[in-house]
Amino acid sequence: MVERKKKAPNTPASLTMADLAGLAGVSTITVSRALSGSALVSPATRERVQQLARKHGYKLNVSARNLRLRRSHAVAVIVEMTPTPERTMWDPYPLALLGGISQELTSAGYNVLLTTRQAAGDVAVQAADGLILLGQGAHQDAVHAYDRLGLPMVVWGAAGVGGDEHIVVGSDNRHGGMSVAERFVSLGRRHPVFIGNPDHPEMSQRFAGFDDELGRHGIKPQLMRRSDFTLESGVQAVRALHNRRVQFDAIFAGSDLVAMGAIRALVELGQSVPQDVSVIGYDDTPQGATFLPPLSTVRQNWQEGGVLLARKVLGIIRGEPVESQMLPTALVLRST
Amino acid sequence: MVERKKKAPNTPASLTMADLAGLAGVSTITVSRALSGSALVSPATRERVQQLARKHGYKLNVSARNLRLRRSHAVAVIVEMTPTPERTMWDPYPLALLGGISQELTSAGYNVLLTTRQAAGDVAVQAADGLILLGQGAHQDAVHAYDRLGLPMVVWGAAGVGGDEHIVVGSDNRHGGMSVAERFVSLGRRHPVFIGNPDHPEMSQRFAGFDDELGRHGIKPQLMRRSDFTLESGVQAVRALHNRRVQFDAIFAGSDLVAMGAIRALVELGQSVPQDVSVIGYDDTPQGATFLPPLSTVRQNWQEGGVLLARKVLGIIRGEPVESQMLPTALVLRST
DNA sequence: GTGAAAGCGCTAACAT
DNA sequence: ATGTTAGCGCTTTCAC
């Protein structure tokens, strides 16, 4: 019987630092330091150990390190993944956002733990070092639910809602609305309509910016409440306006899909876009771009939003001062 | 000085099993067993311990458990997320796929580690218990890269490519192509065209099914190679066909976006859809559904695909026999 | 510059 | 049914 650190014979081919230490003729702690690039080991040993590690395909045991360091090196991202009419699963929205988050987080040595809202109370979520919440929920309910975990948290959505003090990253919805208003004014439109759901925080701010800017030109927009973010919703809204004999020459829809529905209804009613009515949507979805006529809309940079979200959580985790931030929006003028 | 298990005074409010054990007047192992619902503890103590845990907000230390159990309880999902503007997604893997994966994995007590392809060599990926690869890459390169990790792996894509022996889940692309062929035949179309990139495994199988089925009716489809999955790509393809004076009365496009581009170009050329030319896409995107005219297409169930992917990896992890599987597709007939 | 000792929080073996 | 012992693989003291 060879006297060896007892080791299961069926051990998978995974080296530990101790193994590496044996190979290099140093102690485990030296290996640890060498691999983490510590200045406490001589360049020579450091190089030698790193060579060996590479050669033998050493893999750090993350659990062990995390246990020792008392953190998980993971950030949980909670996504609403039920395909609501509001957000189809095809939207670049979640995917691009996720892309930005993932990119930033992994390059900072953190892992992205993807979770749905239903798998909320999950073990691993509470073990995360931080939380990114994609979508604040109808009345901040999602926010409140996760707030109780007491983890560093950043939310994607609209800022300044309901006296909350958590960090928010989102599109500058106010500015988005204002830019649409400016456009309508410059086109000489005098009877604009907003279609959307003002209970939705982001929508509400889009409308606020729209309303304010128009107000500065003495124009009062008509508000058409529609809670769904669907094509049908836009169709209905326009039909309702028509039936009520409402005069209007411009439509700002809270989402591209609604805008497309509106256009479809307008065409059915014999109106022409944009001659009779200007229409502008929000989100710059591929649907809008491929629509006929190509839809004018307000674009936001999702990818960048994701990166920002990640930076903010990391900031909080590191104890740095962090503030909410709104991303600039850009008016994309196409044919409508 | 009170004799206490020495404990940092600044410890965050996080209980350990030992703490709980003290509270309950039992040993840590009993707590462990109680919380995991083991039958080795009396129902009474089990209940008592669980109560206490809930009351004091006990959180399991996942790292410690994973270290002890020698597994990570995590499956890495590797996504192609190259975020090029305009080219929305090279491979449009919708969030639904991730949703299905996440749902199934978390309900099995596993975590979803989201990773991009660039963050490949990441520490945590190799620490995962399994791998789900979304997109096999142009020539299986992605597959090969990750194969070396020696982890249980499942790939989303096309099966039977290049003598590979890894598990694949995907849409039944062959069947999808065949169903389109059948449709064209039943409409009496004699000069069909396929637009797509046959180097792409999934595309290739769509075309193969299409070609085979048409062949059984003595029809040979025209192949228009187009590598991009964009609207523009479809436009170009049709223009090229027109310039070459190619006769055709039906188009099968490898993706909805390409199909929409094709239709647009056809309309510009004064052709009518579907009277002069039938067009069918692939994927059943919302863009297609809201397109005018509403696009006929081949649908696949992403959500279910995700669930299946997850089940397969879990199966491999558990050492169960697992096989590749193709999801059924459905022809969605709309106006084109 | 390097090492020895200790322990992060948990659970599988082996007692009792 | 419950407890004792030991150790997963790593890194932070504190020595040398």
Side-chain angles (χ1 to χ4, degrees):
Chain A
M1 294 291 125
V2 187
E3 236 256 292
R4 268 258 229 131
K5 280 279 179 67
K6 62 205 89 173
K7 188 151 192 184
N10 56 351
T11 298
S14 177
L15 260 48
T16 71
M17 281 193 177
D19 297 334
L20 228 48
L23 256 36
V26 294
S27 70
T28 51
I29 183 63
T30 300
V31 172
S32 170
R33 293 204 258 248
L35 292 181
S36 67
S38 159
L40 282 157
V41 300
S42 75
T45 20
R46 191 188 322 159
E47 196 48 47
R48 190 156 47 88
V49 170
Q50 288 182 349
Q51 291 270 342
L52 275 166
R54 233 167 300 147
K55 179 176 161 195
H56 293 264
Y58 166 78
K59 293 182 199 349
L60 173 73
N61 183 320
V62 185
S63 298
R65 185 194 41 156
N66 288 346
L67 172 57
R68 184 61 239 243
L69 262 31
R70 304 160 134 258
R71 43 202 190 122
S72 66
H73 266 278
V75 170
V77 178
I78 297 153
V79 195
E80 195 83 51
M81 267 189 285
T82 352
T84 60
E86 167 181 353
R87 297 287 185 209
T88 76
M89 318 292 291
W90 284 88
D91 276 345
Y93 153 71
L95 230 40
L97 221 43
L98 237 47
I101 292 171
S102 177
Q103 170 196 315
E104 189 69 13
L105 243 33
T106 55
S107 82
Y110 275 77
N111 293 127
V112 181
L113 222 63
L114 190 68
T115 327
T116 55
R117 200 118 127 45
Q118 26 283 41
D122 190 11
V123 198
V125 172
Q126 33 182 242
D129 292 340
L131 228 57
I132 294 178
L133 196 50
L134 262 33
Q136 42 205 163
H139 294 288
Q140 302 280 93
D141 53 350
V143 176
H144 295 315
Y146 290 106
D147 229 357
R148 300 176 316 152
L149 289 178
L151 289 175
M153 177 165 80
V154 179
V155 182
W156 173 266
V161 182
D164 46 333
E165 71 300 325
H166 55 269
I167 305 298
V168 177
V169 173
S171 159
D172 189 341
N173 293 289
R174 257 194 75 79
H175 180 263
M178 290 176 67
S179 63
V180 174
E182 278 168 13
R183 167 73 180 168
F184 285 167
V185 168
S186 80
L187 290 171
R189 306 289 171 171
R190 306 288 306 174
H191 305 289
V193 177
F194 176 87
I195 309 177
N197 176 12
D199 289 339
H200 185 89
E202 302 187 55
M203 289 283 149
S204 155
Q205 303 200 338
R206 284 167 205 175
F207 177 66
F210 187 59
D211 190 35
D212 286 0
E213 182 63 25
L214 287 172
R216 298 193 14 213
H217 296 83
I219 300 174
K220 182 81 195 151
Q222 179 92 10
L223 171 60
M224 276 301 284
R225 297 190 96 88
R226 278 297 181 279
S227 47
D228 283 358
F229 293 36
T230 58
L231 198 89
E232 193 53 32
S233 187
V235 171
Q236 303 280 339
V238 165
R239 288 206 188 126
L241 286 167
H242 182 256
N243 291 339
R244 290 190 218 150
R245 305 270 187 279
V246 176
Q247 260 228 348
F248 62 95
D249 54 14
I251 293 178
F252 174 28
S255 98
D256 274 7
L257 220 50
V258 174
M260 289 187 271
I263 293 173
R264 184 162 296 182
L266 285 168
V267 170
E268 281 172 13
L269 294 168
Q271 305 259 60
S272 87
V273 176
Q275 288 74 19
D276 298 332
V277 182
S278 285
V279 180
I280 297 184
Y282 208 104
D283 279 345
D284 191 21
T285 58
Q287 285 102 305
T290 58
F291 194 70
L292 273 179
L295 183 70
S296 298
T297 188
V298 177
R299 167 187 297 171
Q300 42 193 325
N301 190 340
W302 305 103
Q303 169 84 8
E304 195 187 322
V307 171
L308 229 49
L309 280 167
R311 289 217 186 114
K312 303 281 179 191
V313 231
L314 292 178
I316 304 178
I317 291 173
R318 294 181 188 130
E320 299 161 9
V322 165
E323 296 201 339
S324 290
Q325 187 173 341
M326 295 294 104
L327 288 160
T329 59
L331 193 59
V332 178
L333 261 21
R334 288 196 269 253
S335 310
T336 63
Chain B
M1 294 287 126
V2 186
E3 237 257 293
R4 268 258 227 131
K5 281 278 181 68
K6 61 205 90 175
K7 190 153 191 183
N10 57 350
T11 299
S14 176
L15 259 47
T16 72
M17 282 194 177
D19 297 333
L20 227 48
L23 257 37
V26 294
S27 71
T28 52
I29 185 67
T30 301
V31 172
S32 171
R33 292 204 258 250
L35 292 180
S36 69
S38 161
L40 283 156
V41 299
S42 75
T45 22
R46 190 188 326 157
E47 195 49 47
R48 190 157 46 89
V49 171
Q50 288 182 350
Q51 291 270 342
L52 274 166
R54 232 167 302 147
K55 179 175 161 197
H56 293 270
Y58 166 79
K59 293 183 199 346
L60 173 73
N61 184 320
V62 186
S63 298
R65 185 193 41 153
N66 288 346
L67 172 58
R68 180 64 239 239
L69 263 29
R70 307 164 128 252
R71 50 210 182 112
S72 65
H73 267 276
V75 170
V77 178
I78 296 154
V79 194
E80 195 86 50
M81 260 189 293
T82 14
T84 341
E86 183 56 43
R87 182 184 296 185
T88 313
M89 276 167 283
W90 192 76
D91 281 331
Y93 297 112
L95 199 59
L97 211 46
L98 279 176
I101 292 172
S102 177
Q103 171 196 314
E104 189 68 13
L105 243 32
T106 54
S107 82
Y110 276 77
N111 294 127
V112 180
L113 221 64
L114 189 69
T115 326
T116 55
R117 200 119 126 45
Q118 26 282 42
D122 190 10
V123 197
V125 171
Q126 34 183 241
D129 292 341
L131 230 55
I132 294 177
L133 196 50
L134 261 35
Q136 41 206 164
H139 294 288
Q140 302 280 94
D141 53 349
V143 175
H144 294 315
Y146 290 105
D147 229 357
R148 300 176 317 150
L149 290 178
L151 290 173
M153 177 167 79
V154 179
V155 182
W156 173 266
V161 182
D164 47 334
E165 71 299 326
H166 55 269
I167 306 297
V168 177
V169 173
S171 159
D172 190 341
N173 294 287
R174 259 194 74 79
H175 180 264
M178 290 175 67
S179 64
V180 174
E182 277 169 11
R183 168 72 180 170
F184 285 167
V185 168
S186 80
L187 289 171
R189 306 288 170 170
R190 306 288 305 174
H191 306 288
V193 177
F194 176 87
I195 308 177
N197 175 13
D199 289 339
H200 184 89
E202 303 187 54
M203 288 283 150
S204 155
Q205 302 201 339
R206 284 167 205 176
F207 177 66
F210 186 60
D211 189 36
D212 285 1
E213 181 63 24
L214 287 171
R216 298 189 20 211
H217 295 85
I219 301 175
K220 183 81 194 151
Q222 179 92 10
L223 170 59
M224 277 300 284
R225 299 189 96 88
R226 279 296 179 280
S227 47
D228 284 357
F229 292 34
T230 59
L231 196 89
E232 192 53 31
S233 188
V235 171
Q236 304 279 340
V238 165
R239 288 204 187 129
L241 286 166
H242 182 257
N243 291 340
R244 290 189 218 152
R245 305 271 187 277
V246 176
Q247 260 227 350
F248 62 95
D249 53 14
I251 293 177
F252 173 28
S255 97
D256 274 7
L257 219 50
V258 175
M260 290 186 271
I263 292 174
R264 183 161 299 182
L266 285 168
V267 170
E268 281 171 12
L269 293 168
Q271 305 259 60
S272 88
V273 176
Q275 287 76 18
D276 299 331
V277 182
S278 285
V279 180
I280 297 184
Y282 207 104
D283 281 344
D284 191 20
T285 58
Q287 284 103 303
T290 58
F291 194 71
L292 273 179
L295 183 71
S296 298
T297 188
V298 177
R299 167 187 299 171
Q300 43 192 327
N301 190 339
W302 302 101
Q303 170 87 7
E304 195 187 323
V307 170
L308 228 50
L309 280 167
R311 288 213 188 118
K312 303 280 179 192
V313 232
L314 292 177
I316 304 177
I317 291 173
R318 293 180 190 130
E320 299 162 10
V322 165
E323 298 200 339
S324 290
Q325 189 173 339
M326 294 295 104
L327 289 160
T329 59
L331 192 60
V332 179
L333 262 21
R334 289 197 269 253
S335 311
T336 64

